[in-house]
Amino acid sequence: MQDMQPDDIVGDFREYTLSYWDGTSRKVLVTDVESPYPEGRLIVSRTDPAGIITQANQSFVEMSGYALEELIGAPHYILRHPDMPPAAFKDLWDTVQRGEKWQGYVKNLRKDGGYYWVKATVIPNVRNGQVVGYTSVRRKPSRSKVEECIRLYPTLF
């Protein structure tokens, strides 16, 4: 996956290098600009078993800042924010690979370096006893849960 580009970033940014479970890494550029989650909207996406995005709705496109063509075929970790503890994603993967539903609060990184919080539900898509992919539905989190996560997540690194 390509590194984030300074020309895509709005405002001052910090640079991090994130390493992913598949052995790849990526330079990400992060600002302090939060995009508020719009009322009444759901972000929906589907992935293959490896977490590669196969479908994304318009809300996902708008909140992520990526074009649909950039999202399809990209790993879902394209949204990984460096403030998210790796333990959260380990729990997500351990849960869904058992064929169970996972829920949690996630700080997602936008293409422009900003971020947005979601309450995510990830459901394995099981056909004939095999996990063939995952569906993720994200909704607006309560501000009190976001504040809990802001306090908790730095302690999990």
Side-chain angles (χ1 to χ4, degrees):
M1 185 168 31
Q2 293 184 344
D3 291 337
M4 292 177 75
Q5 299 301 310
D7 290 345
D8 292 330
I9 306 305
V10 177
D12 295 332
F13 61 85
R14 298 174 305 283
E15 181 178 316
Y16 299 86
T17 299
L18 297 182
S19 297
Y20 305 107
W21 64 273
D22 61 2
T24 63
S25 62
R26 176 182 187 221
K27 181 175 69 175
V28 297
L29 309 174
V30 177
T31 72
D32 293 324
V33 178
E34 181 175 5
S35 293
Y37 196 104
E39 292 290 338
R41 303 280 296 271
L42 294 177
I43 297 172
V44 181
S45 60
R46 289 190 176 174
T47 70
D48 69 10
I52 303 299
I53 299 168
T54 58
Q55 295 180 344
N57 72 351
Q58 186 60 33
S59 293
F60 188 19
V61 171
E62 291 171 14
M63 285 303 289
S64 72
Y66 288 96
L68 180 62
E69 297 76 21
E70 294 174 298
L71 292 170
I72 302 299
H76 217 285
Y77 61 64
I78 193 170
L79 304 172
R80 181 83 43 95
H81 194 286
D83 289 349
M84 284 299 300
F89 296 105
K90 181 180 185 324
D91 182 57
L92 182 160
W93 280 105
D94 288 349
T95 302
V96 297
Q97 287 177 337
R98 288 192 307 263
E100 300 171 9
K101 178 175 73 174
W102 181 89
Q103 288 190 313
Y105 295 89
V106 179
K107 184 178 186 178
N108 282 326
L109 179 63
R110 291 174 43 89
K111 182 178 181 180
D112 66 7
Y115 67 91
Y116 59 99
W117 283 93
V118 298
K119 179 181 180 185
T121 302
V122 182
I123 303 162
N125 301 323
V126 179
R127 304 285 181 273
N128 299 321
Q130 296 287 323
V131 174
V132 297
Y134 305 99
T135 299
S136 177
V137 178
R138 281 87 79 199
R139 53 186 45 93
K140 183 176 182 171
S142 70
R143 199 66 210 173
S144 63
K145 285 293 188 185
V146 169
E147 295 300 327
E148 281 181 34
C149 294
I150 290 171
R151 288 188 300 275
L152 173 65
Y153 286 176
T155 70
L156 301 177
F157 283 88

